[in-house]
Amino acid sequence: MSRRLFALAVAALALTAVPAPAQQASDAIAPEAATPAATAKLVTAKSYMVAAANPIAAATGAEVLKQGGSAIDAAVVVQTVLGLVEPQSSGLGGGAFLVYYDAGRKRLTTLDGRETAPQMATPRLFLDKDGQPMKFMDAVVGGRSVGTPGTVRLLQEAHNRWGRQEWKRLFEPAAALADAGFAVSPRLAALIAEEGDGLKKYEATKAYFFDKAGAPLKAGAVLKNPAYAETLRAIGEGGADAFYTGRIAEAIVDTVRMAAGNPGVLALNDLVDYRVRERVPLCISYRALEVCGMGPPSSGAVAVGQTLGMIENFDIKGLGRDNPESWRIIGDAQRLAFADRGRYLADTDYVPAPIKGLMQKDYLGKRAALLDGDKALADEAVKAGEPEWDHALNFGRDRAIELPSTSHFVIVDRDGNVVSMTTTIENGFGSRLMTGGFLLNNELTDFSFETHDNGVPVANRVEPGKRPRSSMAPTIVMKDGKPLLAIGSPGGSQIIGYVAQALIAYIDWGMDVSQIVAMPHLLNRFGTFEIEAGTGAEKLAEPLKALGYEIKTGALTSGLQAIEISADGLKGSADPRREGVAVGE
Ligand code: GLY
């Protein structure tokens, strides 16, 4: 198909592909008890597949693979389309982490495209004039929370290494769609309506998400974004440099610095100096598999790995998924992992962290011994442990807040290359600031607002150039040196629980990818058991209460996308709580 025909086909799809409202999560812990309408679709394919949070993005990415593009070519297209059709979650104005399996070299690589704090930011960025932490949303909305975006450099870096198709060509599908217009999805429409006046503070954002009469755009409304098309074509022509220098960079800086009521300190040199970092993939062995993901500045792989490393000491398979005892062990293992995360994890370019010690089997065995009882751990017992490390340093506990947002996609191409990428602008609609047709992130609010805890510095405090700690957990599970499962989710710090639960369900309980993405959620980060409302998980509320937990029942809107890779082909699925799909052939 020619480039122009491809762009036209995408535009036609965009105008018709208004997804159905998100389905409820399945009705019971046991998949066989789930009602058929509530389960996720299991998609099978022989050669290639994309699973992403929006059907237009997934279909456009799959078309690139069909035309012989690589997984990274498709990732560029999926990300640029997501930035248009799911703008509230990720985009050019944000940051991302990529876990990539190179089938030719048989090698895993992780790339860190996390935002950085501006050079002019100080640890007191989110303290008011009396030294008190700002209210969270007062910090989020405006320029103060905007970090140097990393996603565009990440895409360029990945494409330089593993791209096959011409860079410029990969920006055309999203640009054509932005020119032609796309149908606003039910989820986007609902989120605009929910935000209401909160999204009207800044003129460019208001003009984009509301009609001329000031009403929020409705599902099915055709939305064009010529400014985004222009930005994309500039990056297509000039590479990432066209984003990090010149007109686009100047507009980002002006938007941040002139944000009424809450300006930020981002400067042109922050953009010019931005670099993607290659990090060592963090892997933990779990029941004969290797679970690999993103190390610091993300806490994702450490916290997921610690949870698995602790529960490996118990017969979770034998106990089964309907047993409160399984959830006591999983929930308290998560709490212990969060206690370590709160003390030790931050950007290791700035603070030393005992990553090796935290992942050691001996250490996790000792932590697991704390779970030997038969009741919920008392709050006083849930403290950071003392892993082995080289530095005689201590850190205060961090209370950074992360609210659910973000997007995850997975891609497998014909050659067996695998992408697992979690991408974000942090809060839904980020800082609410828009320039060049895209929203700017509020990632800096992932830092601790407090600089010290009882006189001890907090590892995840703001520092110039530092990357805020993340919970994003893009994961690839390896079996005998080959990728078996690619998975991840949005959801702020709940990401860790979503991904850990899905891995346990897949590995211990033998559930397939469509079952693990739809399974009702039970999470425990800080003591309270969070149980997904309206699902069979509610049946565990009373038994868990009897074990001593406080219970909170509510929405747990994960956005898990997963692809399993086996000798028989590919099996993929997208979380039914959002609008995603898996597409392959
Ligand atoms: N802002 C979401 C995360 O990085 O975890």
Side-chain angles (χ1 to χ4, degrees):
M1 200 189 293
S2 75
R3 199 179 312 170
R4 192 170 148 66
L5 273 179
F6 176 34
L8 287 173
V10 168
L13 170 70
L15 290 174
T16 51
V18 180
Q23 298 162 339
Q24 282 302 304
S26 45
D27 193 36
I29 293 287
E32 59 271 23
T35 55
T39 51
K41 192 170 168 201
L42 182 67
V43 177
T44 57
K46 282 275 167 239
S47 315
Y48 60 82
M49 188 176 281
V50 179
N54 177 283
I56 306 164
T60 316
E63 187 60 37
V64 173
L65 299 177
K66 186 173 188 170
Q67 292 178 9
S70 72
I72 290 296
D73 295 334
V76 175
V77 170
V78 170
Q79 177 63 85
T80 49
V81 174
L82 282 176
L84 180 69
V85 298
E86 198 202 28
Q88 73 277 13
S89 295
S90 76
L92 307 183
F97 294 119
L98 168 69
V99 181
Y100 180 74
Y101 178 74
D102 179 336
R105 293 195 178 82
K106 300 189 176 18
R107 188 163 176 257
L108 266 183
T109 305
T110 58
L111 293 183
D112 165 1
R114 185 71 164 166
E115 296 89 336
T116 54
Q119 287 301 329
M120 286 181 67
T122 74
R124 299 176 63 83
L125 184 69
F126 295 117
L127 297 181
D128 66 18
K129 60 181 179 356
D130 302 320
Q132 294 306 308
M134 292 174 74
K135 282 197 194 128
F136 186 70
M137 287 315 290
D138 289 351
V140 165
V141 177
R144 185 185 300 262
S145 63
V146 180
T148 319
T151 298
V152 176
R153 273 268 178 249
L154 173 66
L155 294 177
Q156 174 96 70
E157 181 65 32
H159 186 264
N160 289 348
R161 295 178 185 215
W162 304 297
R164 191 175 298 145
Q165 294 189 341
E166 188 195 3
W167 168 258
K168 179 177 166 186
R169 169 177 174 183
L170 300 173
F171 287 79
E172 198 47 40
L177 193 49
D179 278 337
F182 66 98
V184 169
S185 78
R187 181 172 167 78
L188 174 55
L191 292 172
I192 298 170
E194 212 173 277
E195 280 288 305
D197 287 348
L199 217 44
K200 286 187 173 169
K201 182 163 177 188
Y202 298 110
E203 198 45 49
T205 315
K206 179 178 162 194
Y208 187 62
F209 291 110
F210 294 82
D211 67 17
K212 287 205 168 62
L217 293 178
K218 294 206 167 40
V222 175
L223 185 55
K224 296 185 182 184
N225 191 341
Y228 188 61
E230 202 182 309
T231 299
L232 290 172
R233 290 192 175 111
I235 301 169
E237 282 288 341
D241 285 348
F243 181 90
Y244 288 91
T245 58
R247 190 176 48 77
I248 299 172
E250 283 160 18
I252 293 172
V253 168
D254 286 350
T255 306
V256 168
R257 291 193 156 233
M258 294 193 297
N262 194 21
V265 292
L266 191 73
L268 275 179
N269 62 300
D270 294 311
L271 284 134
V272 172
D273 292 343
Y274 184 83
R275 297 286 178 274
V276 167
R277 301 265 181 244
E278 180 173 341
R279 308 278 182 192
V280 178
L282 274 191
C283 299
I284 191 157
S285 63
Y286 182 67
R287 310 211 198 273
L289 300 171
E290 290 285 310
V291 177
C292 298
M294 195 72 224
S298 187
S299 60
V302 175
V304 169
Q306 282 199 310
T307 305
L308 298 178
M310 280 182 260
I311 73 156
E312 196 174 29
N313 294 281
F314 299 89
D315 181 14
I316 292 291
K317 181 176 178 181
L319 289 169
R321 61 197 173 211
D322 290 330
N323 191 334
E325 181 61 1
S326 295
W327 295 100
R328 180 188 69 77
I329 295 164
I330 295 168
D332 276 351
Q334 270 177 37
R335 288 169 73 196
L336 291 170
F338 266 84
D340 278 349
R341 170 185 177 273
R343 169 152 301 170
Y344 298 118
L345 295 182
D347 181 350
T348 43
D349 290 346
Y350 282 72
V351 287
I355 303 303
K356 251 188 173 161
L358 289 168
M359 302 281 273
Q360 252 165 22
K361 290 281 173 163
D362 282 5
Y363 172 71
L364 293 172
K366 281 187 207 139
R367 299 287 275 168
L370 298 172
L371 309 176
D372 277 343
D374 53 10
K375 289 274 187 233
L377 282 179
D379 284 344
E380 314 79 73
V382 183
K383 291 190 287 226
E386 291 180 6
E388 188 182 304
W389 67 338
D390 300 332
H391 297 263
L393 280 178
N394 199 8
F395 290 112
R397 191 170 153 210
D398 160 348
R399 294 179 186 81
I401 301 169
E402 284 169 49
L403 295 180
S405 54
T406 313
S407 200
H408 183 79
F409 57 84
V410 282
I411 302 173
V412 181
D413 68 20
R414 291 171 195 273
D415 299 323
N417 300 306
V418 183
V419 161
S420 184
M421 178 158 151
T422 313
T423 172
T424 188
I425 54 168
E426 215 304 282
N427 207 256
F429 301 98
S431 63
R432 278 68 171 170
L433 289 170
M434 229 177 156
T435 176
F438 57 90
L439 283 157
L440 294 173
N441 71 82
N442 66 296
E443 217 68 55
L444 302 186
T445 57
D446 275 358
F447 280 117
S448 171
F449 284 23
E450 283 142 335
T451 61
H452 289 72
D453 171 28
N454 284 324
V456 180
V458 172
N460 184 34
R461 66 190 176 276
V462 184
E463 295 181 72
K466 189 175 177 183
R467 298 171 191 226
R469 186 193 60 206
S470 170
S471 300
M472 295 196 286
T475 301
I476 297 182
V477 179
M478 305 290 290
K479 183 181 181 190
D480 303 328
K482 294 195 198 120
L484 171 67
L485 180 75
I487 191 164
S489 177
S493 64
Q494 289 163 327
I495 291 172
I496 289 163
Y498 295 147
V499 172
Q501 181 182 326
L503 291 171
I504 294 162
Y506 179 80
I507 298 167
D508 287 299
W509 297 327
M511 294 164 74
D512 75 26
V513 287
S514 68
Q515 293 164 338
I516 65 174
V517 301
M519 185 184 189
H521 290 304
L522 293 106
L523 310 178
N524 200 329
R525 293 171 291 167
F526 307 113
T528 300
F529 239 111
E530 299 171 85
I531 294 185
E532 189 170 6
T535 72
E538 287 188 327
K539 289 182 200 137
L540 287 162
E542 280 308 316
L544 288 171
K545 208 168 166 183
L547 293 180
Y549 294 102
E550 269 185 41
I551 304 291
K552 183 176 163 210
T553 306
L556 288 170
T557 317
S558 56
L560 289 151
Q561 331 292 352
I563 300 178
E564 180 193 64
I565 305 132
S566 74
D568 299 338
L570 306 172
K571 287 186 185 142
S573 198
D575 197 316
R577 298 166 185 82
R578 300 195 185 207
E579 296 172 337
V581 294
V583 182
E585 209 173 285

